[in-house]
Amino acid sequence: MTIGMLEVSLLDARGLQDTDFLGRIDPYVVIQYKNQERKSSVARGDGGSPVWNEKFTFRVEYPGGEGQYKLVLKIMDKDTFSADDFLGQASIYLEDLLALGVENGKAELHPCKYRVVQTDQTYCGEIRVGINFTPKVKEEKDEIQVGGWRESDY
């Protein structure tokens, strides 16, 4: 099993539907990978075309136990006096990226657009994300072991 770091670059979104009656939406993104969750800042007043330019890191094990290598980006609208509204979500499947990273020592998905869909799978905009995966390099041991004994100067 390989352990590494997944870096998610959350850039921006376009075409998000306005759910607020008064004013503009204040979107933020909840990024989930397995049991890990990160939350972006709120893009206040940006409406349906927010810009974040933020990076998030996740600890990744490949191959892992469950085999679900999916990054889920839930886009929410921050509301002050009521519960936050769900605007849509995008899913990015990472198994091929992780396998390539283990094989080559690093793998990257350049920033590109992903479809944002609502719960009924209708299109409601797009989000731009870039992803890097870097496996952790195993540390070399300084001591040389010979036949189970450590070689020393004594």
Side-chain angles (χ1 to χ4, degrees), residues 72-137:
V72 178
L73 302 118
K74 290 184 181 179
I75 304 172
M76 306 293 289
D77 174 26
K78 182 73 173 169
D79 288 332
T80 306
F81 300 111
S82 63
D84 293 351
D85 298 321
F86 175 77
L87 297 176
Q89 80 176 27
S91 298
I92 304 170
Y93 295 91
L94 302 172
E95 187 168 7
D96 292 340
L97 177 78
L98 299 177
L100 191 63
V102 168
E103 185 178 318
N104 296 338
K106 185 175 183 174
E108 178 179 5
L109 284 176
H110 294 288
C112 63
K113 298 173 186 175
Y114 295 93
R115 293 174 55 97
V116 176
V117 295
Q118 294 175 338
T119 51
D120 62 356
Q121 299 302 309
T122 58
Y123 174 82
C124 61
E126 55 194 28
I127 189 165
R128 200 161 54 110
V129 177
I131 302 171
N132 289 313
F133 173 64
T134 308
K136 186 176 181 181
V137 178

Side-chain angles (χ1 to χ4, degrees), residues 9 19 21 25-26 38 41 74 91 114 119 128 132 152:
S9 298
T19 58
F21 296 112
I25 59 174
D26 300 316
R38 310 282 186 273
S41 62
K74 290 184 181 179
S91 298
Y114 295 93
T119 51
R128 200 161 54 110
N132 289 313
S152 67

Side-chain angles (χ1 to χ4, degrees), residues 30-46:
V30 177
I31 305 170
Q32 296 174 323
Y33 179 76
K34 294 193 177 187
N35 62 349
Q36 302 170 67
E37 187 174 283
R38 310 282 186 273
K39 189 186 285 189
S40 75
S41 62
V42 177
R44 297 221 178 264
D46 281 357

